[in-house]
Amino acid sequence: MLVDADLDVRTVVLVEGVSDRAAVEALAVRRGRDLAAERVRVVPMGGATNIGHFLDLLGPAGRGLRLAGLYDHAEEGYIRRALARAGFGADLTRAAMATLGFHVCVADLKDELIRAVGVAGVREVIAAAGDLRALRVFQRQPAQQGRDERAQLRRFMGTRSGRKSAYARLLVDALDLGRAPRSLDAVLAHV
């Protein structure tokens, strides 16, 4: 959350959680950007349902900061209504929200990163992180049987505290920059 010490912030990127912040910050570094020097702060909201609070606090009726954000596809209607309530426009389309700097992740950023790196590449990242054995144990669980490996990898990353954030950074580091998720690149381009 922004505090009084953040008075020099000019732009805030709102993201659902800390793993999304890790991915945005990691890609910024890979793209040669220094968000702190640019006075950009990436703020995890603790879930999309908290966006109204952040828009009120930081948007036109609050601190008047420039805003951007990432959101999961499933939360699009909620984000659209919150932006409308905060005065960003009524009946916003996905394209209009993107023009405002709010970009959709399909299905979520973790899924986009897995698709960008590829299943084999994600397995290599997991192996390099020393988690391949844990992944194999996880994949043998009855609930994982018959599931697509991409879905298994996505679920595996959320099975231990801190794992999603760690893998967000590692997957961004493993990315061919030409295959970076569009939403992730777009939010950085906006700020």
Side-chain angles (χ1 to χ4, degrees):
M1 181 77 160
L2 290 173
V3 294
D4 291 336
D6 291 323
L7 294 176
D8 65 335
V9 171
R10 72 170 177 82
T11 303
V12 172
V13 178
L14 298 173
V15 296
E16 290 191 30
V18 293
S19 64
D20 299 323
R21 177 179 60 194
V24 171
E25 291 174 347
L27 186 60
V29 168
R30 292 221 37 219
R31 294 280 188 214
R33 306 243 340 243
D34 181 346
L35 296 181
E38 295 174 33
R39 298 174 37 209
V40 175
R41 175 99 182 255
V42 183
V43 175
M45 300 180 294
T49 59
N50 293 322
I51 192 169
H53 167 75
F54 286 91
L55 293 174
D56 290 345
L57 180 68
L58 303 172
R63 290 192 44 197
L65 297 174
R66 185 169 183 224
L67 300 175
L70 290 175
Y71 62 91
D72 297 347
H73 179 263
E75 308 297 342
E76 188 165 56
Y78 192 84
I79 302 299
R80 179 180 293 114
R81 289 186 298 277
L83 287 168
R85 277 191 304 274
F88 287 90
D91 300 318
L92 294 168
T93 63
R94 183 180 287 178
M97 292 192 315
T99 299
L100 292 171
F102 288 82
H103 300 276
V104 65
C105 298
V106 180
D108 58 24
L109 188 52
K110 200 171 20 173
D111 187 54
E112 289 202 13
L113 287 169
I114 290 168
R115 279 187 278 123
V117 173
V119 169
V122 173
R123 264 191 257 114
E124 289 174 16
V125 168
I126 289 171
D131 277 341
L132 193 56
R133 183 177 179 282
L135 172 63
R136 296 299 181 220
V137 168
F138 173 78
Q139 288 176 318
R140 287 192 302 269
Q141 293 178 356
Q144 299 307 315
Q145 299 303 304
R147 289 186 78 197
D148 166 282
E149 189 172 7
R150 194 173 89 202
Q152 290 175 342
L153 292 170
R154 191 167 158 233
R155 178 66 188 103
F156 173 74
M157 289 178 196
T159 58
R160 195 180 76 212
S161 178
R163 187 177 269 163
K164 279 197 298 190
S165 292
Y167 278 109
R169 281 186 218 85
L170 293 170
L171 292 177
V172 168
D173 288 345
L175 270 176
D176 169 347
L177 287 177
R179 294 183 45 89
R182 182 208 52 78
S183 56
L184 196 51
D185 256 343
V187 79
L188 281 175
H190 189 82
V191 298

